[in-house]
Amino acid sequence: MLRSLVGSEMCIRDRSQPSSGGVGGSNSNGRTASKYNNEVEVEQENDSIINALTSDMTRLKQEARHIQQDVFAQNQLLEKLQDFMQSARDGVVGSVGKIDNVMGRYGFKHTVVFAVLACLALILIFYGTKYAWSNSGSTTTTTADPTVLALPPSAEHHSPE
């Protein structure tokens, strides 16, 4: 019996009545106002989310433009690199062709001997300059303390008067 009373009370309370002052009128208007307030809050929340999404999309568009500019610049660099590699390839092919002509003219044996002599000459030049530079550095004046600079003789005996 208690259940039926609670159920009927809920039915009476939930029944919409005109706001002329009936028993459930104030509750019905309160719920309608509450629903309206909830709808307004949800709409405001949706508007703020849409604004946030709009600003995010604007930022992403700007980032995409920057990425596009970077890709364009890198593609230009790659094209320049490709041109450079093509010219290097052409140079190597030309050099190999010239070596082939020399080998055909003078023979393999003479060409190898010339190449070995050229390599030895380059090695001698390299080590000769290295030795000359290392010996020229050892004849400089050194002091006991490497952090102290040696003054020229005229500056050592110069006294301000």
Side-chain angles (χ1 to χ4, degrees), residues 40-151:
V40 169
E41 287 176 10
V42 168
E43 189 174 329
Q44 289 173 349
E45 187 177 326
N46 285 342
D47 288 342
S48 66
I49 290 171
I50 288 172
N51 289 336
L53 286 173
T54 302
S55 66
D56 286 345
M57 289 302 296
T58 303
R59 184 182 52 80
L60 287 173
K61 281 182 182 180
Q62 290 173 350
E63 300 241 353
R65 285 188 196 118
H66 290 298
I67 290 171
Q68 182 183 20
Q69 291 170 351
D70 288 344
V71 167
F72 181 73
Q74 289 176 1
N75 283 341
Q76 286 181 331
L77 289 174
L78 286 173
E79 288 173 3
K80 287 179 183 179
L81 182 64
Q82 183 180 4
D83 293 342
F84 174 75
M85 294 300 286
Q86 183 64 35
S87 66
R89 181 184 169 276
D90 293 342
V92 168
V93 168
S95 297
V96 168
K98 288 178 183 177
I99 290 173
D100 191 37
N101 287 338
V102 169
M103 287 179 68
R105 229 185 264 163
Y106 300 108
F108 179 75
K109 182 179 178 183
H110 288 80
T111 305
V112 170
V113 169
F114 178 73
V116 168
L117 289 175
C119 287
L120 287 175
L122 288 173
I123 290 171
L124 287 173
I125 290 170
F126 172 76
Y127 282 110
T129 55
K130 184 177 176 182
Y131 179 75
W133 280 101
S134 66
N135 282 342
S136 68
S138 66
T139 59
T140 59
T141 306
T142 58
T143 60
D145 187 7
T147 60
V148 176
L149 296 175
L151 295 174

Side-chain angles (χ1 to χ4, degrees), residues 20-53:
S20 62
V23 176
S26 61
N27 275 342
S28 175
N29 284 338
R31 284 190 187 168
T32 305
S34 175
K35 278 184 177 180
Y36 178 75
N37 286 338
N38 285 341
E39 287 175 4
V40 169
E41 287 176 10
V42 168
E43 189 174 329
Q44 289 173 349
E45 187 177 326
N46 285 342
D47 288 342
S48 66
I49 290 171
I50 288 172
N51 289 336
L53 286 173

